[in-house]
Amino acid sequence: MGQEKKMTQPSSFRLRSPSLNSIRLRKIFDMFDKNGDDIITVKEISQAMNLLGLEADTAELENLTKSYISPGNEGLAFEDFLKLHESLGEEYFGFMEATNDEEEEEKMKEQEESDLWEAFKVFDENGDGYISARELQVVLGKLGLSEGDEIESVQKMIGSVDINHDGRVDFSEFKNMMRSAIVKK
């Protein structure tokens, strides 16, 4: 071994597309905000992380977030959450400002494709290249979302993006869905 390994960020954190990133962050914020008060507390962040199977030390989370909480709030408002995320991107993940040259644009497109693939794999639990209603239901359930309680509503979700009507969502259909969500933003 002998060589130091440079820490690389997981590709699921490397969303460079501002519109994809904004949607992803809002969904994460809403997932953490269990009581819907537009404030996420350390307790809510910890609960959400535990639901996803990630261990979170409450003291560390509190330490990390306290300087981003606006005065008078008991937790992070969405704007505070964005500042925290931006800070983590700069300090922890080493993000750099993108340039507008063609090479950088191509890299961003490749990165967006990679990000979408990583997101797709979260839902495609069995790795067969398709998201079934059952797989979607399991993920929604893990996130504590009520939509995951009824298979009929999950099947309707699948049907709304299932272009070829095979009862499942392939990667192409998933990309179309994600890109149309960005446009509707």
Side-chain angles (χ1 to χ4, degrees), residues 44 56 66 69-70 74 103 111 131 153 156 178 180:
E44 287 174 318
K66 69 181 173 187
I69 297 172
S70 295
E74 293 182 22
E103 185 177 308
Q111 187 58 53
I131 301 170
S153 65
K156 285 180 186 177
M178 291 301 289
S180 70

Side-chain angles (χ1 to χ4, degrees), residues 23-174:
I23 289 170
R24 176 185 69 105
L25 290 174
R26 185 68 216 196
K27 287 183 179 189
I28 291 170
F29 182 87
D30 291 343
M31 178 186 70
F32 289 171
D33 184 19
K34 286 293 186 192
N35 63 1
D37 65 356
D38 283 330
I39 297 286
I40 53 174
T41 63
V42 169
K43 182 179 178 183
E44 287 174 318
I45 295 170
S46 179
Q47 288 171 341
M49 292 180 75
N50 287 334
L51 283 172
L52 294 170
L54 304 171
E55 290 187 33
D57 181 296
T58 305
E60 284 182 33
L61 285 174
E62 200 167 304
N63 218 10
L64 178 68
T65 59
K66 69 181 173 187
S67 64
Y68 294 92
I69 297 172
S70 295
N73 286 347
E74 293 182 22
L76 296 165
F78 184 65
E79 296 76 27
D80 303 329
F81 183 71
L82 289 176
K83 289 176 189 170
L84 172 62
H85 180 267
E86 184 179 305
S87 172
L88 288 174
E90 291 170 1
E91 294 175 24
Y92 184 70
F93 297 118
F95 286 176
M96 298 185 330
E97 285 295 314
T99 61
N100 286 331
D101 66 357
E102 289 179 23
E103 185 177 308
E104 188 61 35
E105 263 186 60
E106 183 60 32
K107 285 181 184 177
M108 286 178 67
K109 285 180 184 176
E110 289 173 10
Q111 187 58 53
E112 181 180 307
E113 184 85 6
S114 174
D115 291 338
L116 286 170
W117 181 247
E118 289 298 317
F120 181 81
K121 290 191 312 188
V122 168
F123 292 93
D124 180 19
E125 290 196 318
N126 67 3
D128 68 354
Y130 299 96
I131 301 170
S132 68
R134 181 70 187 126
E135 287 172 316
L136 179 57
Q137 184 180 30
V138 167
V139 173
L140 293 174
K142 283 180 182 177
L143 296 173
L145 300 174
S146 61
E147 291 89 344
D149 292 342
E150 296 180 19
I151 193 69
E152 294 82 18
S153 65
V154 175
Q155 287 169 332
K156 285 180 186 177
M157 289 176 171
I158 294 285
S160 70
V161 296
D162 181 16
I163 297 168
N164 64 6
H165 306 293
D166 66 352
R168 0 175 241 187
V169 176
D170 61 31
F171 184 60
S172 177
E173 293 165 332
F174 181 79

